[in-house]
Coordinates of all heavy atoms in Angstrom, one line a residue:
E1515 N -0.4 22.8 -19.0 CA 0.2 23.9 -18.4 C -0.9 25.1 -18.1 O -1.0 25.6 -17.1 CB 1.4 24.4 -19.0 CG 2.0 25.7 -18.6 CD 2.4 25.7 -17.1 OE1 2.5 24.5 -16.5 OE2 2.6 26.6 -16.4
G1516 N -1.7 25.3 -19.1 CA -2.7 26.3 -19.1 C -3.7 25.9 -18.1 O -4.2 26.8 -17.3
L1517 N -4.2 24.6 -18.0 CA -5.1 24.2 -17.0 C -4.5 24.4 -15.5 O -5.3 24.7 -14.7 CB -5.4 22.6 -17.3 CG -6.4 22.0 -16.3 CD1 -7.8 22.6 -16.4 CD2 -6.6 20.5 -16.7
R1518 N -3.2 23.9 -15.5 CA -2.5 24.2 -14.1 C -2.7 25.5 -13.6 O -2.9 25.8 -12.5 CB -1.2 23.6 -14.1 CG -0.5 23.8 -12.8 CD 1.0 24.0 -13.0 NE 1.4 25.0 -13.8 CZ 1.5 26.4 -13.2 NH1 1.2 26.5 -11.9 NH2 1.9 27.3 -13.9
H1519 N -2.4 26.5 -14.6 CA -2.4 27.8 -14.2 C -3.8 28.4 -13.8 O -3.9 29.3 -13.0 CB -1.8 28.7 -15.4 CG -1.5 30.1 -15.2 ND1 -2.3 31.2 -15.7 CD2 -0.8 30.8 -14.2 CE1 -1.9 32.4 -15.2 NE2 -1.0 32.1 -14.3
E1520 N -4.8 27.8 -14.5 CA -6.1 28.2 -14.3 C -6.8 27.7 -13.0 O -7.5 28.3 -12.2 CB -7.0 27.9 -15.4 CG -6.7 28.8 -16.6 CD -7.8 28.5 -17.8 OE1 -9.0 28.2 -17.5 OE2 -7.4 28.7 -18.9
V1521 N -6.5 26.3 -12.7 CA -7.2 25.7 -11.6 C -6.3 25.0 -10.5 O -6.7 24.3 -9.7 CB -8.2 24.7 -12.2 CG1 -9.2 25.4 -13.2 CG2 -7.4 23.5 -12.9
G1522 N -5.0 25.3 -10.7 CA -4.0 24.7 -9.9 C -4.2 24.8 -8.4 O -3.7 24.2 -7.5
D1523 N -5.0 25.9 -7.9 CA -5.3 26.1 -6.6 C -6.2 24.9 -5.8 O -6.3 24.8 -4.7 CB -5.9 27.5 -6.2 CG -7.2 27.9 -6.9 OD1 -7.4 27.2 -8.0 OD2 -8.0 28.6 -6.4
K1524 N -7.0 24.3 -6.8 CA -7.9 23.1 -6.3 C -7.5 22.0 -7.0 O -7.8 20.8 -6.3 CB -9.3 23.6 -6.7 CG -9.8 24.8 -6.0 CD -11.2 25.0 -6.4 CE -12.0 26.2 -5.5 NZ -11.4 27.5 -5.9
V1525 N -7.0 21.8 -8.2 CA -6.9 20.6 -9.0 C -5.4 20.5 -9.4 O -4.8 21.5 -10.0 CB -7.8 20.6 -10.1 CG1 -7.6 19.3 -11.0 CG2 -9.2 20.7 -9.8
R1526 N -4.8 19.4 -9.1 CA -3.4 19.1 -9.5 C -3.4 18.7 -10.9 O -4.4 17.9 -11.4 CB -2.7 18.0 -8.6 CG -2.6 18.5 -7.2 CD -1.5 17.7 -6.5 NE -2.1 16.3 -6.3 CZ -1.3 15.4 -5.5 NH1 -0.2 15.7 -4.9 NH2 -1.8 14.1 -5.5
V1527 N -2.3 19.1 -11.7 CA -2.4 18.7 -13.1 C -0.9 18.3 -13.5 O 0.1 19.1 -13.1 CB -2.6 19.9 -14.0 CG1 -2.6 19.5 -15.5 CG2 -4.1 20.4 -13.7
S1528 N -0.7 17.2 -14.1 CA 0.6 16.7 -14.4 C 0.6 16.3 -15.8 O -0.4 15.7 -16.5 CB 0.9 15.4 -13.6 OG 0.9 15.8 -12.1
S1529 N 1.7 16.6 -16.5 CA 2.0 16.1 -17.9 C 3.1 15.1 -17.9 O 4.3 15.6 -17.5 CB 2.3 17.2 -18.9 OG 2.7 16.7 -20.1
I1530 N 3.0 13.9 -18.4 CA 4.0 12.9 -18.3 C 4.5 12.7 -19.8 O 3.6 12.5 -20.8 CB 3.5 11.6 -17.8 CG1 2.9 11.6 -16.4 CG2 4.5 10.5 -17.7 CD1 3.7 12.1 -15.4
E1531 N 5.7 12.8 -20.0 CA 6.3 12.9 -21.5 C 7.3 11.7 -21.7 O 8.5 12.0 -21.5 CB 6.8 14.2 -21.7 CG 5.7 15.4 -21.7 CD 6.2 16.6 -20.9 OE1 7.4 16.9 -20.8 OE2 5.2 17.3 -20.5
P1532 N 6.9 10.6 -22.1 CA 7.8 9.5 -22.2 C 8.5 9.4 -23.6 O 7.9 9.9 -24.6 CB 6.9 8.2 -22.0 CG 5.4 8.8 -21.7 CD 5.5 10.1 -22.1
G1533 N 9.5 8.8 -23.7 CA 10.3 8.5 -25.0 C 9.7 7.1 -25.3 O 8.5 6.7 -25.2
A1534 N 10.5 6.3 -26.0 CA 10.1 5.0 -26.5 C 9.7 4.1 -25.3 O 10.6 3.9 -24.5 CB 11.2 4.4 -27.3
V1535 N 8.5 3.7 -25.4 CA 8.0 2.8 -24.3 C 7.4 1.7 -25.0 O 6.6 1.7 -26.0 CB 6.9 3.5 -23.3 CG1 6.3 2.6 -22.3 CG2 7.7 4.8 -22.8
E1536 N 7.6 0.4 -24.3 CA 7.0 -0.8 -24.9 C 5.6 -0.8 -24.8 O 4.9 -0.9 -23.7 CB 7.6 -2.0 -24.2 CG 7.2 -3.3 -24.9 CD 7.4 -3.4 -26.3 OE1 8.5 -3.1 -26.8 OE2 6.5 -3.9 -27.1

Side-chain angles (χ1 to χ4, degrees):
E1515 175 56 16
L1517 180 63
R1518 180 205 65 79
H1519 188 245
E1520 291 189 26
V1521 302
D1523 59 330
K1524 292 184 175 70
V1525 180
R1526 297 197 293 183
V1527 182
S1528 303
S1529 176
I1530 309 295
E1531 293 138 24
V1535 176
E1536 185 53 49

